[in-house]
Structure formats: structure tokens, C-alpha cells
Amino acid sequence: MRLKISSVRRQAQETYLRQQRFVNDVSHELRTPLTIIRGYVDLLEACGANDPEIFKEAVTSIKTSAQNMQNLVESLLFLARADQGDQPLTKVPVDLDELIKRLVEDKNSPRVQIAKLTPCKIFGDAEFLKKMLTAFLDNALRYSPSDMPVKISLTTEDKLATLQFVDKGIGISKDDCAKIFDRFYRTDKARTKADGCENSVGLGLAVAKWIADRHDIEIDVRSKPGEGSTFTLKIPTI
Ligand code: ADP
């Protein structure tokens, strides 16, 4: 009996700590864009409206910060619904190669190269799958130099598709590889690297992992700091 009470107490304590950490993470992520917006509004009030350059800079920064907050809130809502079991999937046969083609077209970046694209069909929710693929592609682009390509390849063998995102970017240490799918986890390099990481909050892979799990997709990460990363997805085909 005593054992049961202490285990209930430990669980309650863990839940409390998790909630504290969550509130702390969200507050922290919201503070930066809010500070930027506040700063630029003050600047506009003081002098900016008459200065076209300041006006332009302020509008651009406010827009980016608002977009970052919107992305954060959307990811949080997604995960909250997922936790409550309120994230229904509509699974239908999907041409994975076509989905990837569309994703690359939408991205419209000369850096994205398709190395191989074998036609294959999977059973899944196209919207959710697109969201998941976007997270991997965006990261590969974001965490590698702007003059380096990101390669995508899709092959099939024995009812299993292998999809790879290969970048030659900053890479991830072995310790970090185990944690990057945790909510709000970002490597130190991602936190401190200024270019392109302003809109990074550490939720993209948590969302991607949830979607992958709902489609029986296995994810493998191979990476070397300073050399780059390869994310491999093993996807059941139909
Ligand atoms: P974020 O919004 O920070 O990119 P994610 O959940 O998508 O959030 O990724 C979590 C962390 O994993 C990133 O902050 C980064 O540290 C690391 N990461 C993810 N993909 C890559 C990659 N291709 N190269 C290097 N680091 C990566």
C-alpha cells in the first residue's frame, strides 16, 4: 500500500514538473518574437513612420515574428489535439513519388535535388504526410549552408519504400540524435546559429514523429557534426 502511494506521488510530481517545463518552454519561445514586435512598434512610434527604411525594416521584422508565433501556436495545437486523441487521419492510397514531386515544386528552391524517385503507393493521409515530409526537408535546408544542395531519394524493395533526405550541413552529435524528436529540443548549434534559424522552435520533428508513428514509418538518423545528416524513412507500401 505504501509502495502504491509513493508511486502515485511520484507520478503526480513528474506530471507537475512536465507541465512546469512546458509552460517554461512556451513562455520562452513567445518572449523573443514579442520582444522584437514591441521594440519595432516603439521605434515606429518614435520616428519610423516618416523614415521609409526604418518603416520597411520594422514591417518585415514584425511580419516574421508574427509568422513565427503563428507556427508555434499551430504546432502546439497539433500536438495538444494529438495528445487528446483528437487528430483524425483520413487514409487513402497515396502516390508517394507524386507527393514528393509536389513538395519539391512548392519549395521552389534550386538547392533541392531529387536523386532518385521510384514510383510507389502507400496508404496514408496525404495532408499529414506532406506536413511530415516538409519538416525533414525544411530542416535539411535550414541546417546546411545556403550554397549546399539537399538530396532526396526514394527507392523501393519488398513492400518497403526507403526515403532519404541528405544534407551536408552542421550535423548532429550522437547524444543529440536521441533527443531531437523531443518537444522543444534544439541542439546548441541550432540555438546559436543565427542565419535561417530564427524560426526554429524545436517542435517540427515531434510533429513529424507523431505522423510517422501513425503510418508505421520508421525513422533512422545518421549524422556527423560538421559533415551533415541523413534522415532515412522506411515506409510500408501497398
Ligand atoms: P526546429 O524548429 O528547431 O528545426 P525540429 O523539431 O524540426 O525543430 O528539430 C529539432 C532540432 O534537431 C533542431 O533544432 C536541430 O537542432 C536538430 N536538427 C533537425 N534536423 C537537422 C538537420 N538536418 N541537421 C542538423 N540538425 C538538425
Side-chain angles (χ1 to χ4, degrees):
M1 187 63 171
R2 194 175 298 155
L3 197 72
K4 228 178 181 175
I5 291 173
S6 75
S7 120
V8 168
R9 194 176 289 157
R10 201 176 49 243
Q11 267 180 13
Q13 206 168 18
E14 275 169 15
T15 307
Y16 175 73
L17 285 176
R18 233 188 354 258
Q19 278 172 353
Q20 287 277 89
R21 208 163 38 231
F22 178 77
V23 171
N24 202 32
D25 285 335
V26 175
S27 315
H28 182 79
E29 293 304 334
L30 284 173
R31 201 164 54 181
T32 309
L34 283 172
T35 307
I36 294 173
I37 290 174
R38 185 65 214 258
Y40 274 109
V41 168
D42 285 349
L43 187 67
L44 282 179
E45 213 171 39
C47 60
N50 302 322
D51 184 327
E53 243 172 64
I54 290 183
F55 184 79
K56 200 169 158 215
E57 185 186 321
V59 169
T60 307
S61 296
I62 289 171
K63 220 167 150 181
T64 307
S65 298
Q67 183 64 53
N68 291 347
M69 285 197 290
Q70 193 172 340
N71 293 345
L72 171 66
V73 170
E74 270 166 21
S75 295
L76 285 173
L77 269 176
F78 183 99
L79 290 168
R81 285 201 196 110
D83 289 345
Q84 287 160 12
D86 183 23
Q87 198 66 274
L89 285 87
T90 310
K91 289 190 180 179
V92 293
V94 176
D95 290 311
L96 184 57
D97 51 308
E98 289 296 326
L99 192 65
I100 292 168
K101 242 190 244 166
R102 278 204 302 278
L103 180 78
V104 172
E105 274 165 21
D106 290 352
K107 193 52 60 188
N108 195 22
S109 161
R111 292 177 59 202
V112 183
Q113 296 178 1
I114 295 182
K116 196 158 189 184
L117 201 59
T118 311
C120 75
K121 249 190 212 317
I122 63 170
F123 193 62
D125 185 308
E127 278 283 306
F128 282 65
L129 288 167
K130 193 168 176 213
K131 200 177 182 65
M132 177 191 74
L133 301 177
T134 304
F136 291 112
L137 181 57
D138 282 352
N139 280 344
L141 290 166
R142 184 185 294 160
Y143 299 113
S144 55
S146 56
D147 57 349
M148 287 299 240
V150 165
K151 289 196 178 144
I152 301 178
S153 81
L154 175 66
T155 53
T156 56
E157 198 185 336
D158 293 338
K159 292 265 166 206
L160 207 60
T162 301
L163 173 61
Q164 289 192 312
F165 294 88
V166 185
D167 71 63
K168 298 267 174 258
I170 60 174
I172 310 162
S173 73
K174 211 170 172 193
D175 282 353
D176 281 329
C177 274
K179 301 178 197 150
I180 53 173
F181 294 93
D182 293 350
R183 294 177 191 188
F184 289 111
Y185 191 81
R186 285 181 297 174
T187 64
D188 286 342
K189 279 213 173 87
R191 274 178 208 281
T192 49
K193 192 174 171 283
D195 283 353
C197 296
E198 310 83 28
N199 52 0
S200 132
V201 291
L203 289 176
L205 288 183
V207 170
K209 176 80 171 65
W210 186 90
I211 297 170
D213 288 346
R214 296 303 163 295
H215 289 85
D216 298 317
I217 297 172
E218 273 180 33
I219 307 168
D220 175 67
V221 188
R222 297 281 148 101
S223 188
K224 261 199 175 160
E227 289 187 20
S229 310
T230 298
F231 283 74
T232 304
L233 277 62
K234 295 275 182 194
I235 311 170
T237 59
I238 49 172

